[in-house]
């Protein structure tokens, strides 16, 4: 499939200025929506109960601040010119336990590539360099120290199909209308060995609706011959609390034949419930391994949130 960069740029501008709208079918039976809400409420109740049960095991006395859980379930279809059948299911659960002075979190997900991604970057079919993109990850994160500008945490868990430990420090500071942040960490995987990472970001807030974000990540793991570098620039527009639009471009480079460039536009809209959203994200990708032949695709996602 051939698709010119100029045509894609025009499509992004058109969508950014005139985002898509969909008319609601008022005659549609509300039973399906009620069933969906009931399923979500059932999951939410079970997660909150689990968090409070685990927290109570460590409690010496009852606290006003109750343990809580939050997370999301994301269903996606990511067709592109090279593969029209790609689907994706992502979820994450976080349990916060106040009896540990809000320092301890239990995190469960199936996204092994989360640490690599940039703050505004979404997941595309070939974004991950790991072969464990659908494996279950679980970790306990302990916030060792937190001040106004510096946060240090340690994490122990299972990811990439093996035990791992990670220690990271994050610095951030607001200067004028720009938030600067930097983090660095060391990690050790039982099979893959030692790793290191550095993450930098600057988020410029023009007003309450419009912001510009630049970010860069550098990560190396002993078992992987190549260090991975990612950098991106994203313009985001939030007209209200029900909609969001993000235009962006990024580069991924493993310093071999895996360099790629990505242009995308993401539109998010609240749908039927305050906790339910859909996303539409057309993207254009150029990969070195295919001689930078343009690959056009679109990601369609349904995202349900729960928790507090």
């Amino acid at each position: 499939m051939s698709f010119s960069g100029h045509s894609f740029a025009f499509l992004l501008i058109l969508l950014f200025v005139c985002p898509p709208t969909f008319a609601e079918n008022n005659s549609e039976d509300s039973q399906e929506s009620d069933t969906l809400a009931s399923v979500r409420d059932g999951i939410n109740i079970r997660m909150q109960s689990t968090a409070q049960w685990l927290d109570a095991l460590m409690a010496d006395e009852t606290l006003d601040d109750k343990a809580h859980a939050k997370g999301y379930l994301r269903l996606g279809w990511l067709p592109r010119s090279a593969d029209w059948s790609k689907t994706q299911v992502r979820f994450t659960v976080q349990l916060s336990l106040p009896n540990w002075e809000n320092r301890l979190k239990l995190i469960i997900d199936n996204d092994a590539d989360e640490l690599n991604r940039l703050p505004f970057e979404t997941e595309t079919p070939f974004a991950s360099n790991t072969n464990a993109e659908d494996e279950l990850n679980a970790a306990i994160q302990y916030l060792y120290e937190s001040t106004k500008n510096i946060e240090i945490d340690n994490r122990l868990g299972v990811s990439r199909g093996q035990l791992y430990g990670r220690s990271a420090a994050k610095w951030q500071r607001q200067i004028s209308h720009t938030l600067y942040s930097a983090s660095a960490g060391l990690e050790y995987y039982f099979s893959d060995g030692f790793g290191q990472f550095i993450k930098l970001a600057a988020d410029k807030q023009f007003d309450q609706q419009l912001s510009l974000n630049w970010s860069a990540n550098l990560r190396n793991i002993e078992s992987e011959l190549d260090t991975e570098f990612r950098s991106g620039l994203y313009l985001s527009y939030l007209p209200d609390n029900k909609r969001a639009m993000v235009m962006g471009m990024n580069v991924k480079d493993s310093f071999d034949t895996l360099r790629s460039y990505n242009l995308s536009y993401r539109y998010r809209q609240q749908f039927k419930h305050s906790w339910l959203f859909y996303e539409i994200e057309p993207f254009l990708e150029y990969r070195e391994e295919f001689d930078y032949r343009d690959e056009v695709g679109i990601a369609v996602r349904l995202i349900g949130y729960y928790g507090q």
Side-chain angles (χ1 to χ4, degrees):
M1 177 181 293
S2 176
F3 192 85
S4 71
H6 294 295
S7 299
F8 186 77
F10 176 76
L11 175 62
L12 295 187
I13 294 172
L14 181 64
L15 288 172
F16 197 84
V17 175
C18 306
T21 57
F22 298 88
E24 292 187 5
N25 184 0
N26 294 325
S27 63
E28 183 182 0
D29 189 354
S30 63
Q31 182 176 358
E32 182 178 347
S33 178
D34 293 341
T35 301
L36 184 63
S38 297
V39 172
R40 183 262 184 186
D41 291 343
I43 294 174
N44 187 39
I45 291 172
R46 287 177 175 81
M47 290 298 100
Q48 305 306 330
S49 299
T50 300
Q52 293 170 22
W53 176 75
L54 288 173
D55 194 50
L57 295 178
M58 313 169 195
D60 293 328
E61 59 184 34
T62 302
L63 299 178
D64 293 333
D65 187 13
K66 289 187 177 182
H68 63 273
K70 64 179 181 179
Y72 66 81
L73 173 65
R74 187 177 76 224
L75 309 177
W77 179 44
L78 297 82
R80 57 193 294 143
S81 54
D83 183 2
W84 289 84
S85 62
K86 180 68 176 180
T87 59
Q88 202 171 70
V89 177
R90 286 287 178 262
F91 71 88
T92 186
V93 179
Q94 290 190 24
L95 307 182
S96 296
L97 310 176
N99 278 302
W100 283 72
E101 299 178 348
N102 288 320
R103 291 176 178 267
L104 189 68
K105 285 186 178 180
L106 175 62
I107 304 167
I108 303 172
D109 63 37
N110 67 337
D111 188 359
D113 198 48
E114 181 184 12
L115 181 66
N116 286 7
R117 275 197 300 278
L118 304 170
F120 284 80
E121 182 185 357
T122 54
E123 199 171 4
T124 57
F126 300 97
S128 175
N129 284 337
T130 71
N131 295 319
E133 62 172 15
D134 292 320
E135 292 185 358
L136 185 66
N137 312 300
I140 295 176
Q141 178 174 295
Y142 181 73
L143 182 61
Y144 179 74
E145 182 177 349
S146 180
T147 65
K148 181 179 179 181
N149 299 118
I150 297 178
E151 184 176 290
I152 300 174
D153 66 70
N154 298 314
R155 184 180 289 199
L156 182 65
V158 177
S159 185
R160 301 164 63 101
Q162 58 198 284
L163 293 172
Y164 80 98
R166 180 185 301 150
S167 182
K170 180 179 180 180
W171 169 89
Q172 64 178 18
R173 184 174 181 181
Q174 181 88 26
I175 301 177
S176 185
H177 297 288
T178 303
L179 179 64
Y180 298 93
S181 64
S183 60
L186 295 174
E187 49 191 349
Y188 177 76
Y189 289 87
F190 186 78
S191 298
D192 292 340
F194 285 97
Q196 312 86 34
F197 64 88
I198 298 174
K199 302 164 76 76
L200 304 172
D203 199 334
K204 172 69 174 179
Q205 194 80 29
F206 296 105
D207 53 41
Q208 292 184 347
Q209 297 178 329
L210 191 65
S211 65
L212 182 67
N213 173 273
W214 170 84
S215 54
N217 297 351
L218 184 68
R219 189 186 189 193
N220 174 262
I221 296 178
E222 189 175 348
S223 67
E224 298 176 359
L225 298 178
D226 302 301
T227 298
E228 184 183 74
F229 171 77
R230 299 191 187 194
S231 182
L233 187 66
Y234 296 89
L235 180 67
S236 61
Y237 176 60
L238 285 73
D240 50 52
N241 60 1
K242 295 183 178 181
R243 295 175 296 160
M245 287 143 266
V246 179
M247 292 177 61
M249 61 183 71
N250 66 61
V251 57
K252 305 179 186 72
D253 195 344
S254 296
F255 305 102
D256 52 17
T257 60
L258 295 177
R259 180 180 300 169
S260 67
Y261 300 89
N262 183 284
L263 303 173
S264 67
Y265 166 83
R266 183 164 78 256
Y267 176 78
R268 171 180 283 206
Q269 172 75 54
Q270 182 180 314
F271 179 64
K272 290 186 178 295
H273 303 281
S274 61
W275 46 267
L276 187 63
F277 295 81
Y278 68 81
E279 285 185 354
I280 300 175
E281 182 180 13
F283 62 87
L284 184 64
E285 191 165 45
Y286 298 89
R287 291 189 283 166
E288 183 179 5
E289 60 184 316
F290 294 132
D291 298 323
Y292 298 111
R293 182 181 69 246
D294 57 342
E295 292 183 85
V296 63
I298 185 169
V300 181
R301 307 182 184 95
L302 182 65
I303 310 166
Y305 292 88
Y306 68 88
Q308 305 170 359

